[in-house]
Amino acid sequence: MDSLQLQALLPFIVLASASVVIILLIAARQSHTVIQITGFLMMCLVVLAMWYVRDVLPRAIMPLLVVDGMAAVFTGLIVFCVLIIGLFSFIYFEEREENPKEYYILIFLGTLGAAVLTISRHFISVFIGLELLSISLYALIAYLRNRNNAVEAGMKYLVLAAMSSAFLLFGMALIYMDTGSMDFDGIAKQLQTQGHSPALFVTGIGLMMVAVCFKLALVPFHLWAADVYQGAPVPVTNFIATVSKIGVFAVLVRFAQAVQLQSYHFAVIIISFVAIVSMVGGNLLAIKQQNIKRLLAYSSIAHLGYLLVAFLPGNAAGIEAGMFYLFAYSITLLAAFGIVTMLSGRQADADQLEAYRGLYWRNPLMGAILTVALLSLAGIPLTAGFIGKFAVLNAGVQQQLWLPVIVLVITSVIGLYYYLRIISTLFAETQVIFPKEKSLHPLFVAGTYGALLVLLILLLGAGIFPSAVIDGIKNFLCQGFRIINF
Amino acid sequence: MSLLFYISSVVAIVATLLVITCHRPIHALLYLVVSFLAVSMIFLSLGAPFVAVLEVILYAGAIIVLLIFVVMMLNLGQEAALQEKQWLQPKVWVGPSILVAVLLLEMSILLLRGESAAIQPAVDMKRISLVLFKEYVIAVELVGFLLMAGIVGAAHIGKHKKKHPHRFLQNGKENGHADNNENNKEVKPGELLKEEMIHN
């Protein structure tokens, strides 16, 4: 490994060392505040490192990894999400019964797993990254281990994720058996010389799609989503909804790009089917929900379905649309779950819809932020969600994928119903007086409000001036494509 | 040789099913050893003696011995001797022995017939080390982080001491000792075993 390769890996090395630093701080018996601030600074350091190494970027570290523009965009998004989630975690875990320190180790390890996924070009690194992510998640979901919901959710996730890992491994083994290679480019080369799509390869792709759909909570494999979202602590729910999905989607995009997945008829049929049933299923299941965490879980199933529509064309426009959509979706969910975190009391999370009645009159700022987030999820103009949906539709229409596009439009209308239902609750009259029991460090409350405001500005900014974000993504992607042209 | 593969696979599946259905941890561990041995036999029948030996040394050897030590040490006390006597009744070890005998038979067939894939020259140690620590060194380091995640998670979830009891427990204490047994869900594994033994 030469120095340029090491330099390209610098952000990931810093990210990996973050968890070690936290362990050392725990060994030195530092307080929650110190750990929180150090974690925040380490994440800032990762961002700085990424900025520092941007010139060496399209660089492959054979045989496992490749750091290119696409990886930079996805990793940047992941680190940004973790920065915000880390801020929300402080106020959440400060008033819980568990010792919150190990939480930060696990969350940084999970982030490392997701980041490794974004730079993988080999089955081995894909599998290790995915396992790193899911093993951290088992413990994170059951972190409040004296609460029945959390333990149940952790157990469910453990069993189902282990099952999906088995599917993934079996699929990888079949593809390896067929092509004799485990790195993406090698598989692609072998497939080109074979000329046709053999049965083993098709079966392998099918099995791997099971695992990917499980991780993305797409419809035939979505059963865990609502329970896990409900049982996990709110910041962890936020982590699952954003970071783990970004990582898995990144690896899916890279693999599809290498083997030209969308040129296979069967793959397009499978993905369209999954996308359509996810959009319909997610939205229909969300309609009757009274629990806001479950509702957001079902809505995220539907949103991942929309994302697959952007994935279907398999061209540069589709990837750009997918990235923008993921960006919009992540900041929206961060804001929505941020409000849930802020409202959660000492005993239970604020997950019942009743807790939100008249929120706007009690706390106008939080009410406004949640309203904008929900409007963005619904895809109303002037928010990032609208531009994201527009980009996805644009990519789909260009390739004349009429059926998924029509389903997307129809299900968006269904989605509008339940988002507006929550918004109307926010503005309803309320007689109940909610006691205030906050005695937290004012710095962190201010920091959390600051993060929420930044998210609000991003949501509206990306909705009103989307060109800045889209150009940024395009610039990075051009860097990424340079390595393919060589 | 595919027959041998299928037989050892069946043994592995049966042993693993018994692991998760066995009531006592120590009996489950016995079957776990059998399960590892069966997996190792699968590798041997497929012509990968190096992996087979590693499986035996690492899993069936080191890890299981550690587990057995921990389980044995959880309950030290007067009842321990009685308990161990109960654990070592013939019906306990007959099951694993039969399964292991099947595996032994398979291995002797494989080795005696001689011409099979198992007798291929073993992979050179040096080549494996070079690949692991040169080409795939990043993977090895990442696996280190993977283990760290597992250990930190297990340490957190398995921790005994509790600063803030759950509200059910708090109620139980206030109500006195009458319903202590129903409400006191948080018992140490050692105590659980003792209780169980008293019932027996």
Side-chain angles (χ1 to χ4, degrees), chain A residues 1 9 16-17 19-20 23 61-65 96-99 102 105-106 109 112 116 122 124-125 128 131-132 135-136 138-139 142-148 347, chain B residues 131 134-170 185-186:
Chain A
M1 205 183 302
L9 275 182
S17 62
S19 51
V20 180
I23 284 198
I61 296 108
M62 298 302 266
L64 293 178
L65 308 173
R96 290 294 177 284
E97 69 271 14
E98 288 296 337
N99 172 12
E102 286 92 353
I105 307 174
L106 290 169
L109 285 173
L112 177 67
V116 167
H122 197 285
I124 291 181
S125 45
I128 294 176
E131 283 299 287
L132 193 48
I135 288 189
S136 312
Y138 304 152
Y143 198 83
L144 301 172
R145 64 210 169 90
N146 294 320
R147 305 193 173 197
N148 290 340
Q347 287 297 336
Chain B
V131 167
K134 208 168 163 190
E135 230 178 321
Y136 292 98
V137 66
I138 294 179
V140 174
E141 278 163 19
L142 283 174
V143 170
F145 280 102
L146 180 66
L147 290 180
M148 183 162 122
I151 291 171
V152 170
H156 173 76
I157 293 188
K159 225 186 286 173
H160 278 323
K161 219 163 67 180
K162 221 156 49 89
K163 280 175 191 159
H164 307 271
H166 191 270
R167 56 197 155 84
F168 288 160
L169 290 179
Q170 282 171 340
K185 291 275 159 50
E186 179 97 356

Side-chain angles (χ1 to χ4, degrees), chain B residues 76-150:
Chain B
L76 294 171
Q78 305 159 345
E79 305 95 346
L82 184 77
Q83 193 169 9
E84 273 174 30
K85 201 171 276 178
Q86 261 190 350
W87 283 348
L88 293 177
Q89 278 168 354
K91 64 172 184 186
V92 170
W93 50 259
V94 159
S97 311
I98 293 174
L99 291 178
V100 170
V102 173
L103 291 178
L104 185 66
L105 190 71
E106 274 188 67
M107 198 172 79
S108 23
I109 291 174
L110 196 65
L111 292 179
L112 287 177
R113 283 181 46 171
E115 86 281 7
S116 70
I119 315 300
Q120 282 172 353
V123 186
D124 191 7
M125 214 35 238
K126 195 175 164 191
R127 267 176 62 203
I128 291 179
S129 329
L130 274 180
V131 167
L132 269 188
F133 289 97
K134 208 168 163 190
E135 230 178 321
Y136 292 98
V137 66
I138 294 179
V140 174
E141 278 163 19
L142 283 174
V143 170
F145 280 102
L146 180 66
L147 290 180
M148 183 162 122

Side-chain angles (χ1 to χ4, degrees), chain A residues 156-451:
Chain A
K156 268 182 189 156
Y157 192 75
L158 171 72
V159 172
L160 290 174
M163 192 81 169
S164 80
S165 290
F167 272 99
L168 183 72
L169 272 184
F170 199 42
M172 285 176 176
L174 287 181
I175 292 179
Y176 179 60
M177 191 173 157
D178 184 48
T179 60
S181 170
M182 294 223 273
D183 82 40
F184 296 171
D185 295 341
I187 294 169
K189 216 170 276 170
Q190 186 63 29
L191 283 175
Q192 268 173 5
T193 54
Q194 280 175 347
H196 56 96
S197 59
L200 275 179
F201 177 72
V202 175
T203 321
I205 291 287
L207 288 172
M208 283 178 67
M209 282 306 288
V210 170
V212 167
C213 291
F214 171 83
K215 294 285 175 199
L216 294 178
L218 291 163
V219 149
F221 315 101
H222 68 292
L223 293 168
W224 59 278
D227 289 343
V228 169
Y229 274 50
Q230 186 189 7
V234 185
V236 176
T237 311
N238 207 345
F239 187 83
I240 302 172
T242 53
V243 173
S244 77
K245 305 222 156 135
I246 298 170
V248 176
F249 187 72
V251 83
L252 181 65
V253 167
R254 193 182 292 283
F255 182 69
Q257 223 176 37
V259 303
Q260 301 288 319
L261 191 63
Q262 286 91 346
S263 65
Y264 294 98
H265 192 56
F266 76 92
V268 173
I269 291 179
I270 294 176
I271 298 168
S272 319
F273 173 76
V274 169
I276 289 171
V277 289
S278 299
M279 290 187 280
V280 175
N283 278 315
L284 288 184
L285 286 169
I287 286 181
K288 296 295 273 182
Q289 280 304 325
Q290 289 300 318
N291 182 320
I292 198 160
K293 278 165 99 181
R294 291 182 82 88
L295 189 143
L296 286 175
Y298 287 124
S299 119
S300 83
I301 293 172
H303 279 275
L304 267 294
Y306 302 151
L307 187 61
L308 275 196
V309 176
F311 173 74
L312 268 175
N315 51 16
I319 293 175
E320 275 164 33
M323 281 181 166
F324 189 87
Y325 197 83
L326 260 183
F327 169 74
Y329 161 84
S330 305
I331 54 175
T332 311
L333 274 192
L334 283 174
F337 278 119
I339 301 291
V340 179
T341 315
M342 292 290 278
L343 289 177
S344 292
R346 199 172 286 274
Q347 287 297 336
D349 295 340
D351 50 4
Q352 292 304 319
L353 206 51
E354 273 309 300
Y356 294 83
R357 184 167 293 279
L359 177 67
Y360 183 77
W361 310 114
R362 277 183 279 144
N363 189 332
L365 181 61
M366 279 206 242
I369 292 172
L370 189 56
T371 307
V372 172
L374 289 169
L375 289 177
S376 170
L377 281 176
I380 302 291
L382 296 188
T383 58
F386 169 72
I387 306 291
K389 225 168 240 179
F390 182 78
V392 169
L393 273 179
N394 196 13
V397 168
Q398 273 177 12
Q399 292 290 311
Q400 298 172 344
L401 302 162
W402 296 119
L403 186 61
V405 165
I406 290 170
V407 174
L408 192 157
V409 173
I410 293 173
T411 50
S412 296
V413 178
I414 302 176
L416 199 58
Y417 165 73
Y418 57 85
Y419 295 125
L420 286 181
R421 188 165 56 99
I422 307 180
I423 293 176
S424 71
T425 317
L426 293 182
F427 288 89
E429 288 288 335
T430 179
Q431 305 299 325
V432 192
I433 295 160
F434 290 85
K436 284 214 162 189
E437 47 169 341
K438 301 276 180 202
S439 58
L440 293 164
H441 200 293
L443 179 68
F444 281 100
V445 177
T448 313
Y449 270 107

Side-chain angles (χ1 to χ4, degrees), chain B:
Chain B
M1 282 305 110
S2 62
L3 186 64
L4 289 184
F5 170 79
Y6 286 116
I7 295 174
S8 13
S9 309
V10 169
V11 172
I13 291 171
V14 169
T16 313
L17 280 179
L18 286 168
V19 171
I20 55 174
T21 51
C22 262
H23 190 52
R24 303 251 168 76
I26 201 88
H27 300 170
L29 281 178
L30 277 180
Y31 282 110
L32 194 59
V33 178
V34 178
S35 158
F36 286 144
L37 289 177
V39 172
S40 153
M41 184 60 217
I42 291 176
F43 284 130
L44 197 62
S45 71
L46 289 174
F50 184 78
V51 187
V53 171
L54 272 190
E55 177 90 17
V56 172
I57 295 177
L58 289 181
Y59 283 94
I63 292 179
I64 283 298
V65 169
L66 275 181
L67 278 176
I68 290 177
F69 263 125
V70 170
V71 171
M72 289 276 194
M73 275 157 59
L74 272 180
N75 46 341
L76 294 171
Q78 305 159 345
E79 305 95 346
L82 184 77
Q83 193 169 9
E84 273 174 30
K85 201 171 276 178
Q86 261 190 350
W87 283 348
L88 293 177
Q89 278 168 354
K91 64 172 184 186
V92 170
W93 50 259
V94 159
S97 311
I98 293 174
L99 291 178
V100 170
V102 173
L103 291 178
L104 185 66
L105 190 71
E106 274 188 67
M107 198 172 79
S108 23
I109 291 174
L110 196 65
L111 292 179
L112 287 177
R113 283 181 46 171
E115 86 281 7
S116 70
I119 315 300
Q120 282 172 353
V123 186
D124 191 7
M125 214 35 238
K126 195 175 164 191
R127 267 176 62 203
I128 291 179
S129 329
L130 274 180
V131 167
L132 269 188
F133 289 97
K134 208 168 163 190
E135 230 178 321
Y136 292 98
V137 66
I138 294 179
V140 174
E141 278 163 19
L142 283 174
V143 170
F145 280 102
L146 180 66
L147 290 180
M148 183 162 122
I151 291 171
V152 170
H156 173 76
I157 293 188
K159 225 186 286 173
H160 278 323
K161 219 163 67 180
K162 221 156 49 89
K163 280 175 191 159
H164 307 271
H166 191 270
R167 56 197 155 84
F168 288 160
L169 290 179
Q170 282 171 340
N171 290 340
K173 273 175 195 163
E174 282 160 18
N175 297 344
H177 296 290
D179 50 358
N180 212 12
N181 267 343
E182 281 83 5
N183 282 343
N184 199 353
K185 291 275 159 50
E186 179 97 356
V187 265
K188 295 179 184 176
E191 285 172 7
L192 207 75
L193 280 177
K194 275 180 207 162
E195 260 183 26
E196 211 171 76
M197 211 189 52
I198 291 164
H199 285 303
N200 287 339

